[in-house]
Amino acid sequence: MTYRAAGTVVLLAALVGTLAPAIGADVVPADRHSLFWPYLLAWAFFCAAAWAVRGLPARQARCLVIAGGIAVTATGLLSPPATSTDSYRYAWDGRVQAAGVSPYDHAPADAALAPLRDPWLFPRGAGCEGPDRYPIPSGDSGTCTRINRPGVHTIYPPLAEAYFLLVHALSPEGARHKPLQVGGALLACATSAVLLIALSRRPGTRDHAPAYAACYAWCPAVPLELVNNAHVDALGVLLAVLALTTVNRRRVLGGALLGAATAVKLLPAVTVPGALSGILASGGKTPARRMLDALAVLGPAALVVALAYLPYVLASRGSVLGYFFGYLTEEGYEDAGSRDRYALLRLVLPDSWAFPVALVILGLTIFHVLRHGDADRPWRGALLVTGVGFLVFTPGYSWYAVLVVALVALDGRWEWLGVPLASGVAYLGTVAGSGTIAYALAALAVAAGLVVRAVRPSSGSAYGHCRMGAGAWLWKDRFR
Protein backbone atom coordinates (compact mmCIF):
# COMPACT_ATOMS: atom_id res chain seq x y z
CA MET A 1 0.00 0.00 0.00
CA THR A 2 1.38 3.39 -0.99
CA TYR A 3 1.65 6.35 1.36
CA ARG A 4 -1.19 8.07 -0.51
CA ALA A 5 -3.44 5.03 -0.20
CA ALA A 6 -2.62 4.72 3.50
CA GLY A 7 -3.34 8.41 3.96
CA THR A 8 -6.70 8.02 2.24
CA VAL A 9 -7.59 5.11 4.52
CA VAL A 10 -6.64 7.16 7.57
CA LEU A 11 -8.79 10.06 6.41
CA LEU A 12 -11.71 7.71 5.77
CA ALA A 13 -11.29 6.20 9.23
CA ALA A 14 -11.29 9.71 10.69
CA LEU A 15 -14.47 10.52 8.73
CA VAL A 16 -16.25 7.41 9.98
CA GLY A 17 -14.84 7.95 13.46
CA THR A 18 -16.30 11.46 13.50
CA LEU A 19 -19.73 10.55 12.10
CA ALA A 20 -20.31 7.42 14.21
CA PRO A 21 -20.20 9.00 17.69
CA ALA A 22 -21.91 12.19 16.47
CA ILE A 23 -24.89 10.40 14.90
CA GLY A 24 -24.91 7.60 17.47
CA ALA A 25 -24.98 9.93 20.47
CA ASP A 26 -28.80 9.81 20.73
CA VAL A 27 -29.11 13.45 19.68
CA VAL A 28 -32.73 14.49 19.17
CA PRO A 29 -33.98 16.96 16.52
CA ALA A 30 -34.76 19.55 19.18
CA ASP A 31 -31.04 19.59 20.04
CA ARG A 32 -29.72 19.28 16.48
CA HIS A 33 -27.39 22.27 16.89
CA SER A 34 -25.08 20.14 19.02
CA LEU A 35 -24.05 18.32 15.82
CA PHE A 36 -22.78 21.50 14.17
CA TRP A 37 -19.08 21.20 14.96
CA PRO A 38 -18.82 17.41 14.48
CA TYR A 39 -20.60 17.86 11.15
CA LEU A 40 -18.12 20.54 10.02
CA LEU A 41 -15.23 18.31 11.09
CA ALA A 42 -16.69 15.41 9.12
CA TRP A 43 -16.87 17.65 6.05
CA ALA A 44 -13.20 18.55 6.49
CA PHE A 45 -12.20 14.86 6.58
CA PHE A 46 -14.51 14.15 3.63
CA CYS A 47 -12.95 16.86 1.45
CA ALA A 48 -9.43 15.72 2.33
CA ALA A 49 -10.25 12.07 1.60
CA ALA A 50 -11.96 12.91 -1.70
CA TRP A 51 -8.90 14.92 -2.71
CA ALA A 52 -6.46 12.17 -1.66
CA VAL A 53 -8.22 9.39 -3.59
CA ARG A 54 -7.64 11.25 -6.87
CA GLY A 55 -4.01 10.16 -7.06
CA LEU A 56 -4.62 6.43 -6.57
CA PRO A 57 -4.72 3.75 -9.29
CA ALA A 58 -8.27 3.29 -10.56
CA ARG A 59 -8.73 -0.25 -9.23
CA GLN A 60 -7.46 0.62 -5.76
CA ALA A 61 -9.49 3.81 -5.67
CA ARG A 62 -12.64 1.96 -6.74
CA CYS A 63 -12.29 -0.53 -3.89
CA LEU A 64 -11.79 2.29 -1.40
CA VAL A 65 -14.83 4.18 -2.68
CA ILE A 66 -17.02 1.08 -2.33
CA ALA A 67 -15.75 0.04 1.11
CA GLY A 68 -15.61 3.60 2.39
CA GLY A 69 -19.06 4.36 1.03
CA ILE A 70 -20.56 1.39 2.85
CA ALA A 71 -18.83 2.35 6.11
CA VAL A 72 -19.88 6.00 5.85
CA THR A 73 -23.46 5.06 4.98
CA ALA A 74 -23.66 2.60 7.88
CA THR A 75 -23.02 5.35 10.42
CA GLY A 76 -26.53 6.63 9.72
CA LEU A 77 -28.01 3.44 11.17
CA LEU A 78 -26.55 3.93 14.65
CA SER A 79 -29.40 5.87 16.26
CA PRO A 80 -32.98 7.10 15.80
CA PRO A 81 -33.40 10.19 13.59
CA ALA A 82 -31.05 12.83 14.97
CA THR A 83 -31.97 16.11 13.28
CA SER A 84 -35.39 15.67 11.66
CA THR A 85 -38.79 14.20 12.53
CA ASP A 86 -39.99 13.81 8.92
CA SER A 87 -39.60 10.03 8.87
CA TYR A 88 -42.33 9.71 11.50
CA ARG A 89 -44.75 11.16 8.96
CA TYR A 90 -43.43 8.62 6.42
CA ALA A 91 -44.17 5.76 8.80
CA TRP A 92 -47.64 7.14 9.52
CA ASP A 93 -48.50 7.64 5.85
CA GLY A 94 -47.47 4.06 5.11
CA ARG A 95 -49.65 2.79 7.95
CA VAL A 96 -52.64 4.87 6.82
CA GLN A 97 -52.39 3.55 3.27
CA ALA A 98 -52.08 -0.04 4.49
CA ALA A 99 -55.44 0.52 6.24
CA GLY A 100 -57.00 1.47 2.90
CA VAL A 101 -57.16 5.23 3.54
CA SER A 102 -55.72 7.92 1.27
CA PRO A 103 -52.92 9.81 3.05
CA TYR A 104 -54.21 13.03 1.45
CA ASP A 105 -57.65 12.84 3.10
CA HIS A 106 -56.81 13.18 6.79
CA ALA A 107 -54.22 14.95 8.92
CA PRO A 108 -52.54 12.78 11.59
CA ALA A 109 -54.53 14.60 14.30
CA ASP A 110 -57.86 13.71 12.68
CA ALA A 111 -60.00 11.68 15.08
CA ALA A 112 -61.10 9.46 12.18
CA LEU A 113 -57.64 7.87 12.22
CA ALA A 114 -57.46 7.41 15.99
CA PRO A 115 -57.76 3.58 15.72
CA LEU A 116 -54.43 3.52 13.83
CA ARG A 117 -52.48 5.28 16.57
CA ASP A 118 -49.89 3.46 18.68
CA PRO A 119 -47.73 4.47 21.68
CA TRP A 120 -44.66 4.98 19.46
CA LEU A 121 -46.05 7.67 17.15
CA PHE A 122 -48.68 8.90 19.63
CA PRO A 123 -47.29 8.77 23.18
CA ARG A 124 -49.48 9.44 26.17
CA GLY A 125 -48.91 10.83 29.61
CA ALA A 126 -45.25 10.89 30.62
CA GLY A 127 -44.24 10.04 27.05
CA CYS A 128 -45.29 13.52 26.03
CA GLU A 129 -42.71 15.13 28.30
CA GLY A 130 -39.81 14.26 26.01
CA PRO A 131 -38.39 16.50 23.27
CA ASP A 132 -39.87 16.66 19.78
CA ARG A 133 -43.42 15.96 20.88
CA TYR A 134 -46.23 17.89 19.23
CA PRO A 135 -49.65 18.50 20.81
CA ILE A 136 -52.64 17.24 18.90
CA PRO A 137 -54.93 20.16 18.00
CA SER A 138 -58.39 19.83 19.55
CA GLY A 139 -57.57 16.34 20.72
CA ASP A 140 -57.05 14.40 23.91
CA SER A 141 -54.95 16.59 26.20
CA GLY A 142 -53.08 13.51 27.40
CA THR A 143 -51.91 12.52 23.92
CA CYS A 144 -49.19 13.98 21.71
CA THR A 145 -47.37 12.83 18.59
CA ARG A 146 -43.88 12.58 17.15
CA ILE A 147 -45.22 13.73 13.77
CA ASN A 148 -44.49 17.38 13.01
CA ARG A 149 -47.38 19.56 11.84
CA PRO A 150 -49.98 16.99 12.96
CA GLY A 151 -52.85 19.30 12.05
CA VAL A 152 -52.05 19.46 8.32
CA HIS A 153 -52.33 16.95 5.48
CA THR A 154 -49.28 15.28 3.99
CA ILE A 155 -47.17 17.19 1.47
CA TYR A 156 -45.44 14.26 -0.25
CA PRO A 157 -46.01 13.35 -3.93
CA PRO A 158 -47.50 9.99 -4.96
CA LEU A 159 -44.36 7.93 -5.61
CA ALA A 160 -43.05 8.96 -2.21
CA GLU A 161 -46.33 7.72 -0.71
CA ALA A 162 -45.97 4.48 -2.66
CA TYR A 163 -42.48 4.09 -1.21
CA PHE A 164 -43.80 4.62 2.33
CA LEU A 165 -46.44 1.95 1.73
CA LEU A 166 -43.83 -0.47 0.37
CA VAL A 167 -41.55 0.02 3.38
CA HIS A 168 -44.49 -0.47 5.72
CA ALA A 169 -45.52 -3.67 3.94
CA LEU A 170 -41.99 -5.11 4.19
CA SER A 171 -41.42 -4.08 7.81
CA PRO A 172 -41.74 -6.53 10.70
CA GLU A 173 -44.15 -5.65 13.48
CA GLY A 174 -42.76 -3.05 15.86
CA ALA A 175 -39.77 -2.15 13.66
CA ARG A 176 -40.46 1.57 14.08
CA HIS A 177 -37.93 3.87 12.32
CA LYS A 178 -35.33 1.27 11.35
CA PRO A 179 -36.87 -0.01 8.06
CA LEU A 180 -36.98 3.52 6.66
CA GLN A 181 -33.34 4.00 7.62
CA VAL A 182 -32.35 0.71 6.02
CA GLY A 183 -34.27 1.72 2.91
CA GLY A 184 -32.38 5.03 2.82
CA ALA A 185 -29.05 3.18 3.18
CA LEU A 186 -29.88 0.82 0.31
CA LEU A 187 -30.94 3.71 -1.92
CA ALA A 188 -27.81 5.70 -1.05
CA CYS A 189 -25.57 2.73 -1.85
CA ALA A 190 -27.47 2.17 -5.10
CA THR A 191 -26.88 5.81 -6.09
CA SER A 192 -23.15 5.46 -5.36
CA ALA A 193 -23.06 2.30 -7.49
CA VAL A 194 -24.88 3.98 -10.38
CA LEU A 195 -22.48 6.93 -10.23
CA LEU A 196 -19.42 4.69 -10.19
CA ILE A 197 -20.66 2.57 -13.10
CA ALA A 198 -21.82 5.52 -15.21
CA LEU A 199 -18.60 7.47 -14.65
CA SER A 200 -16.46 4.40 -15.37
CA ARG A 201 -18.19 3.95 -18.72
CA ARG A 202 -18.11 7.60 -19.76
CA PRO A 203 -15.22 8.60 -22.06
CA GLY A 204 -13.03 11.15 -20.34
CA THR A 205 -13.85 10.23 -16.75
CA ARG A 206 -13.05 6.51 -16.62
CA ASP A 207 -9.73 6.87 -14.86
CA HIS A 208 -11.13 9.39 -12.39
CA ALA A 209 -14.55 7.82 -11.81
CA PRO A 210 -13.76 6.78 -8.20
CA ALA A 211 -12.76 10.32 -7.23
CA TYR A 212 -15.98 11.72 -8.68
CA ALA A 213 -18.16 9.01 -7.11
CA ALA A 214 -16.50 9.62 -3.74
CA CYS A 215 -18.05 13.09 -3.73
CA TYR A 216 -21.37 11.41 -3.10
CA ALA A 217 -20.44 8.10 -1.45
CA TRP A 218 -18.37 9.74 1.29
CA CYS A 219 -20.31 12.98 1.77
CA PRO A 220 -21.45 13.43 5.41
CA ALA A 221 -24.86 14.70 4.25
CA VAL A 222 -25.68 11.24 2.86
CA PRO A 223 -25.57 9.20 6.11
CA LEU A 224 -27.08 12.00 8.18
CA GLU A 225 -29.93 13.06 5.91
CA LEU A 226 -30.70 10.06 3.70
CA VAL A 227 -30.01 7.25 6.19
CA ASN A 228 -30.33 8.48 9.75
CA ASN A 229 -33.15 10.92 9.02
CA ALA A 230 -34.37 8.60 6.23
CA HIS A 231 -35.44 11.44 3.94
CA VAL A 232 -37.23 10.25 0.84
CA ASP A 233 -34.87 12.45 -1.16
CA ALA A 234 -32.71 9.31 -1.36
CA LEU A 235 -35.15 7.84 -3.88
CA GLY A 236 -35.59 11.11 -5.77
CA VAL A 237 -31.83 11.59 -6.11
CA LEU A 238 -31.34 8.03 -7.37
CA LEU A 239 -34.00 8.48 -10.04
CA ALA A 240 -32.59 11.89 -11.04
CA VAL A 241 -29.09 10.42 -11.46
CA LEU A 242 -30.48 7.57 -13.56
CA ALA A 243 -32.40 10.09 -15.67
CA LEU A 244 -29.48 12.41 -16.33
CA THR A 245 -27.14 9.56 -17.25
CA THR A 246 -29.75 8.21 -19.68
CA VAL A 247 -31.49 11.18 -21.30
CA ASN A 248 -28.62 12.11 -23.63
CA ARG A 249 -28.93 8.68 -25.29
CA ARG A 250 -32.58 7.76 -24.71
CA ARG A 251 -34.75 10.82 -24.38
CA VAL A 252 -38.02 9.05 -23.72
CA LEU A 253 -36.61 6.84 -20.96
CA GLY A 254 -34.68 9.74 -19.45
CA GLY A 255 -37.81 11.89 -19.45
CA ALA A 256 -39.82 9.13 -17.80
CA LEU A 257 -37.18 8.79 -15.06
CA LEU A 258 -37.21 12.55 -14.52
CA GLY A 259 -40.98 12.39 -14.14
CA ALA A 260 -40.59 9.59 -11.59
CA ALA A 261 -38.00 11.61 -9.64
CA THR A 262 -40.38 14.59 -9.58
CA ALA A 263 -43.23 12.36 -8.42
CA VAL A 264 -41.09 11.38 -5.43
CA LYS A 265 -39.97 14.88 -4.46
CA LEU A 266 -40.73 18.00 -6.48
CA LEU A 267 -37.17 19.32 -6.21
CA PRO A 268 -35.65 17.14 -9.00
CA ALA A 269 -37.84 19.07 -11.45
CA VAL A 270 -35.11 21.75 -11.40
CA THR A 271 -32.88 19.35 -13.35
CA VAL A 272 -35.27 19.30 -16.33
CA PRO A 273 -33.54 22.27 -18.06
CA GLY A 274 -30.33 20.24 -17.91
CA ALA A 275 -32.06 17.41 -19.74
CA LEU A 276 -32.97 19.94 -22.43
CA SER A 277 -29.47 21.44 -22.68
CA GLY A 278 -28.80 23.10 -26.02
CA ILE A 279 -32.36 22.69 -27.25
CA LEU A 280 -32.39 26.38 -28.29
CA ALA A 281 -28.86 26.39 -29.74
CA SER A 282 -28.47 28.48 -32.90
CA GLY A 283 -28.12 26.64 -36.21
CA GLY A 284 -28.53 22.97 -36.88
CA LYS A 285 -31.98 21.67 -36.04
CA THR A 286 -35.22 23.08 -37.38
CA PRO A 287 -37.80 24.48 -34.94
CA ALA A 288 -39.99 21.44 -35.55
CA ARG A 289 -37.12 19.11 -34.65
CA ARG A 290 -36.38 21.09 -31.49
CA MET A 291 -40.01 20.80 -30.48
CA LEU A 292 -39.98 17.04 -31.02
CA ASP A 293 -36.79 16.66 -28.98
CA ALA A 294 -38.29 18.67 -26.13
CA LEU A 295 -41.53 16.71 -26.23
CA ALA A 296 -39.57 13.45 -26.19
CA VAL A 297 -38.37 14.45 -22.71
CA LEU A 298 -41.24 16.51 -21.33
CA GLY A 299 -44.03 14.26 -22.62
CA PRO A 300 -42.93 11.07 -20.80
CA ALA A 301 -42.06 13.11 -17.70
CA ALA A 302 -45.54 14.66 -17.57
CA LEU A 303 -47.18 11.31 -18.31
CA VAL A 304 -45.36 9.54 -15.48
CA VAL A 305 -46.30 12.31 -13.02
CA ALA A 306 -49.94 12.18 -14.16
CA LEU A 307 -50.11 8.39 -13.92
CA ALA A 308 -48.51 8.47 -10.47
CA TYR A 309 -51.09 10.93 -9.20
CA LEU A 310 -54.09 9.26 -10.86
CA PRO A 311 -54.72 6.47 -8.30
CA TYR A 312 -54.51 8.94 -5.43
CA VAL A 313 -56.78 11.42 -7.19
CA LEU A 314 -59.38 8.68 -7.65
CA ALA A 315 -59.01 7.42 -4.07
CA SER A 316 -58.93 10.81 -2.33
CA ARG A 317 -61.77 13.12 -1.40
CA GLY A 318 -59.52 16.15 -0.93
CA SER A 319 -56.64 17.76 -2.79
CA VAL A 320 -53.63 15.56 -3.48
CA LEU A 321 -51.38 18.63 -3.17
CA GLY A 322 -51.83 18.46 0.59
CA TYR A 323 -49.94 21.09 2.56
CA PHE A 324 -47.75 22.20 -0.37
CA PHE A 325 -48.88 25.83 -0.63
CA GLY A 326 -49.07 26.22 3.14
CA TYR A 327 -45.50 24.94 3.34
CA LEU A 328 -44.26 27.55 0.86
CA THR A 329 -45.84 30.27 2.96
CA GLU A 330 -44.50 28.84 6.21
CA GLU A 331 -40.94 28.65 4.86
CA GLY A 332 -40.93 32.30 3.79
CA TYR A 333 -40.82 31.86 0.00
CA GLU A 334 -43.74 34.27 -0.36
CA ASP A 335 -42.55 36.75 2.30
CA ALA A 336 -38.80 37.16 2.08
CA GLY A 337 -38.58 39.00 5.39
CA SER A 338 -40.17 36.23 7.46
CA ARG A 339 -37.32 33.69 7.26
CA ASP A 340 -33.81 33.46 5.85
CA ARG A 341 -34.89 32.85 2.27
CA TYR A 342 -33.17 34.91 -0.46
CA ALA A 343 -30.50 35.70 2.13
CA LEU A 344 -27.78 36.69 -0.34
CA LEU A 345 -30.07 38.86 -2.45
CA ARG A 346 -31.41 40.60 0.65
CA LEU A 347 -27.88 41.70 1.53
CA VAL A 348 -27.99 44.09 -1.42
CA LEU A 349 -31.69 44.45 -2.27
CA PRO A 350 -34.89 45.41 -0.45
CA ASP A 351 -36.88 42.41 0.76
CA SER A 352 -39.70 43.13 -1.68
CA TRP A 353 -37.30 42.82 -4.62
CA ALA A 354 -35.76 39.51 -3.57
CA PHE A 355 -38.34 37.13 -5.00
CA PRO A 356 -38.71 38.70 -8.48
CA VAL A 357 -34.93 39.13 -8.81
CA ALA A 358 -34.42 35.49 -7.80
CA LEU A 359 -36.84 34.43 -10.52
CA VAL A 360 -35.04 36.59 -13.10
CA ILE A 361 -31.63 35.13 -12.19
CA LEU A 362 -32.94 31.60 -12.29
CA GLY A 363 -34.75 32.28 -15.56
CA LEU A 364 -31.60 33.66 -17.20
CA THR A 365 -29.65 30.63 -16.00
CA ILE A 366 -32.23 28.28 -17.47
CA PHE A 367 -32.17 30.19 -20.77
CA HIS A 368 -28.39 29.96 -20.88
CA VAL A 369 -28.54 26.20 -20.39
CA LEU A 370 -31.22 25.79 -23.04
CA ARG A 371 -29.26 28.00 -25.45
CA HIS A 372 -25.63 27.07 -24.77
CA GLY A 373 -25.80 23.84 -22.77
CA ASP A 374 -24.06 20.65 -23.83
CA ALA A 375 -26.69 18.09 -24.87
CA ASP A 376 -24.16 15.29 -24.35
CA ARG A 377 -23.66 16.33 -20.72
CA PRO A 378 -27.13 17.14 -19.33
CA TRP A 379 -25.85 16.84 -15.76
CA ARG A 380 -23.72 19.93 -16.41
CA GLY A 381 -26.70 22.18 -17.06
CA ALA A 382 -28.63 20.51 -14.25
CA LEU A 383 -25.86 21.33 -11.77
CA LEU A 384 -25.70 24.95 -12.90
CA VAL A 385 -29.46 25.51 -12.63
CA THR A 386 -29.78 23.65 -9.33
CA GLY A 387 -26.73 25.31 -7.79
CA VAL A 388 -27.83 28.79 -8.80
CA GLY A 389 -31.31 28.02 -7.47
CA PHE A 390 -29.87 27.20 -4.05
CA LEU A 391 -27.74 30.33 -4.02
CA VAL A 392 -30.65 32.66 -4.80
CA PHE A 393 -33.31 30.95 -2.65
CA THR A 394 -30.95 29.84 0.19
CA PRO A 395 -33.15 27.03 1.59
CA GLY A 396 -32.50 26.09 5.19
CA TYR A 397 -32.97 22.31 5.01
CA SER A 398 -29.77 20.39 4.37
CA TRP A 399 -31.40 17.30 2.87
CA TYR A 400 -32.57 19.27 -0.16
CA ALA A 401 -28.96 19.87 -1.17
CA VAL A 402 -28.05 16.17 -1.41
CA LEU A 403 -29.22 16.52 -5.02
CA VAL A 404 -26.40 19.03 -5.57
CA VAL A 405 -23.93 16.52 -4.10
CA ALA A 406 -24.98 13.91 -6.66
CA LEU A 407 -24.72 16.41 -9.52
CA VAL A 408 -21.21 17.40 -8.38
CA ALA A 409 -20.26 13.72 -8.47
CA LEU A 410 -21.62 13.44 -12.03
CA ASP A 411 -19.80 16.50 -13.33
CA GLY A 412 -16.72 16.90 -11.12
CA ARG A 413 -17.19 20.58 -10.27
CA TRP A 414 -15.76 20.50 -6.78
CA GLU A 415 -16.47 24.16 -6.02
CA TRP A 416 -20.23 23.54 -5.91
CA LEU A 417 -19.80 21.34 -2.81
CA GLY A 418 -19.90 24.56 -0.82
CA VAL A 419 -23.64 24.77 -1.51
CA PRO A 420 -24.66 21.57 0.37
CA LEU A 421 -22.24 22.46 3.14
CA ALA A 422 -23.87 25.89 3.41
CA SER A 423 -27.33 24.36 3.66
CA GLY A 424 -26.07 22.16 6.48
CA VAL A 425 -24.67 25.19 8.29
CA ALA A 426 -27.99 26.99 7.81
CA TYR A 427 -29.85 24.07 9.40
CA LEU A 428 -27.45 23.10 12.18
CA GLY A 429 -25.79 26.45 12.88
CA THR A 430 -25.90 27.84 16.38
CA VAL A 431 -25.39 31.52 15.52
CA ALA A 432 -27.95 33.72 13.79
CA GLY A 433 -26.87 34.52 10.25
CA SER A 434 -24.45 31.60 10.00
CA GLY A 435 -26.38 30.21 7.04
CA THR A 436 -26.12 33.53 5.20
CA ILE A 437 -22.37 33.64 5.77
CA ALA A 438 -22.01 30.03 4.60
CA TYR A 439 -24.04 30.65 1.44
CA ALA A 440 -21.97 33.78 0.74
CA LEU A 441 -18.77 31.76 1.05
CA ALA A 442 -20.25 29.09 -1.21
CA ALA A 443 -21.05 31.73 -3.82
CA LEU A 444 -17.49 33.06 -3.56
CA ALA A 445 -16.14 29.53 -4.06
CA VAL A 446 -18.16 29.18 -7.26
CA ALA A 447 -16.97 32.61 -8.42
CA ALA A 448 -13.39 31.63 -7.63
CA GLY A 449 -13.87 28.53 -9.76
CA LEU A 450 -14.98 30.77 -12.64
CA VAL A 451 -11.89 32.97 -12.34
CA VAL A 452 -9.37 30.18 -11.83
CA ARG A 453 -10.64 28.05 -14.68
CA ALA A 454 -10.89 31.05 -17.02
CA VAL A 455 -7.32 32.17 -16.23
CA ARG A 456 -5.99 28.61 -16.35
CA PRO A 457 -8.07 26.90 -19.05
CA SER A 458 -8.22 23.17 -19.60
CA SER A 459 -5.06 21.59 -20.93
CA GLY A 460 -7.17 19.71 -23.44
CA SER A 461 -7.03 16.39 -21.69
CA ALA A 462 -10.20 14.48 -21.09
CA TYR A 463 -9.79 14.87 -17.36
CA GLY A 464 -9.18 18.59 -17.63
CA HIS A 465 -12.25 18.98 -19.81
CA CYS A 466 -14.45 17.14 -17.33
CA ARG A 467 -13.22 19.34 -14.52
CA MET A 468 -14.14 22.59 -16.22
CA GLY A 469 -16.16 24.54 -13.69
CA ALA A 470 -19.63 25.91 -14.24
CA GLY A 471 -18.27 29.42 -14.38
CA ALA A 472 -15.60 28.55 -16.94
CA TRP A 473 -18.26 26.83 -19.00
CA LEU A 474 -20.23 30.07 -19.10
CA TRP A 475 -17.05 31.98 -19.96
CA LYS A 476 -16.12 29.67 -22.83
CA ASP A 477 -19.59 29.71 -24.35
CA ARG A 478 -19.66 33.48 -24.40
CA PHE A 479 -16.22 34.11 -25.87
CA ARG A 480 -15.45 31.15 -28.06
Side-chain angles (χ1 to χ4, degrees):
M1 180 180 289
T2 64
Y3 287 115
R4 193 177 187 94
T8 306
V9 171
V10 170
L11 289 169
L12 270 175
L15 172 59
V16 173
T18 302
L19 287 171
I23 295 177
D26 290 330
V27 175
V28 294
D31 190 33
R32 67 178 188 268
H33 303 296
S34 64
L35 283 180
F36 177 71
W37 291 111
Y39 189 67
L40 284 188
L41 181 61
W43 266 85
F45 286 131
F46 155 62
C47 291
W51 183 264
V53 78
R54 292 165 56 251
L56 298 179
R59 182 184 180 89
Q60 193 175 58
R62 192 174 295 112
C63 293
L64 275 177
V65 168
I66 294 171
I70 293 173
V72 169
T73 300
T75 62
L77 299 171
L78 297 178
S79 73
T83 63
S84 170
T85 58
D86 286 356
S87 62
Y88 298 121
R89 170 81 71 160
Y90 301 172
W92 175 251
D93 283 0
R95 183 186 302 177
V96 169
Q97 292 178 87
V101 180
S102 169
Y104 299 104
D105 279 346
H106 301 278
D110 196 322
L113 300 182
L116 300 179
R117 297 175 184 174
D118 68 352
W120 172 52
L121 289 178
F122 291 85
R124 295 180 62 88
C128 292
E129 297 175 2
D132 299 306
R133 303 294 192 269
Y134 303 91
I136 297 179
S138 303
D140 184 351
S141 60
T143 304
C144 61
T145 181
R146 296 175 184 267
I147 303 168
N148 62 58
R149 304 179 182 89
V152 303
H153 293 197
T154 191
I155 192 177
Y156 299 102
L159 288 190
E161 293 295 340
Y163 171 70
F164 305 154
L165 176 59
L166 176 64
V167 172
H168 176 86
L170 297 177
S171 301
E173 188 71 24
R176 298 190 173 187
H177 60 272
K178 192 59 68 177
L180 286 163
Q181 291 183 331
V182 171
L186 294 175
L187 291 170
C189 288
T191 302
S192 297
V194 169
L195 287 168
L196 191 56
I197 293 170
L199 291 164
S200 297
R201 292 178 176 177
R202 186 200 304 168
T205 61
R206 289 171 181 164
D207 292 339
H208 306 279
Y212 284 14
C215 287
Y216 181 88
W218 298 350
C219 182
V222 172
L224 178 61
E225 301 299 355
L226 303 189
V227 183
N228 182 259
N229 291 325
H231 284 292
V232 74
D233 300 66
L235 178 57
V237 169
L238 172 60
L239 291 170
V241 168
L242 287 169
L244 292 171
T245 54
T246 302
V247 73
N248 57 340
R249 293 172 287 109
R250 301 176 183 176
R251 287 182 175 273
V252 173
L253 178 58
L257 288 168
L258 275 176
T262 304
V264 171
K265 199 77 180 278
L266 298 181
L267 182 61
V270 300
T271 65
V272 170
L276 299 176
S277 293
I279 200 76
L280 299 180
S282 58
K285 297 179 180 180
T286 64
R289 183 63 207 180
R290 297 175 200 271
M291 180 66 70
L292 289 175
D293 286 347
L295 288 176
V297 175
L298 298 178
L303 181 61
V304 168
V305 172
L307 291 176
Y309 269 105
L310 182 60
Y312 288 96
V313 170
L314 296 176
S316 304
R317 297 191 303 272
S319 170
V320 293
L321 296 179
Y323 187 57
F324 177 70
F325 294 107
Y327 177 80
L328 293 179
T329 301
E330 177 184 314
E331 291 301 312
Y333 289 103
E334 295 182 358
D335 180 7
S338 65
R339 297 289 291 270
D340 290 330
R341 305 297 80 83
Y342 319 104
L344 298 186
L345 294 177
R346 290 166 57 204
L347 292 175
V348 295
L349 296 172
D351 287 356
S352 60
W353 290 21
F355 179 61
V357 171
L359 291 183
V360 169
I361 293 173
L362 191 61
L364 290 174
T365 306
I366 291 172
F367 177 77
H368 178 85
V369 169
L370 298 179
R371 179 75 172 178
H372 302 290
D374 188 342
D376 293 328
R377 296 178 175 86
W379 48 84
R380 179 166 297 180
L383 174 58
L384 183 61
V385 173
T386 307
V388 169
F390 270 83
L391 290 176
V392 296
F393 289 101
T394 60
Y397 291 136
S398 51
W399 51 93
Y400 292 174
V402 178
L403 177 60
V404 178
V405 177
L407 294 175
V408 168
L410 274 175
D411 203 41
R413 284 169 171 73
W414 307 81
E415 62 267 30
W416 284 103
L417 283 174
V419 171
L421 175 57
S423 70
V425 171
Y427 188 63
L428 300 175
T430 57
V431 179
S434 57
T436 301
I437 295 172
Y439 271 116
L441 292 175
L444 289 175
V446 173
L450 184 153
V451 174
V452 169
R453 298 176 195 280
V455 171
R456 188 178 60 190
S458 170
S459 62
S461 67
Y463 179 53
H465 177 72
C466 287
R467 290 202 55 203
M468 287 297 293
W473 173 45
L474 284 164
W475 186 282
K476 284 177 64 182
D477 279 334
R478 292 191 179 195
F479 295 97
R480 64 184 175 184

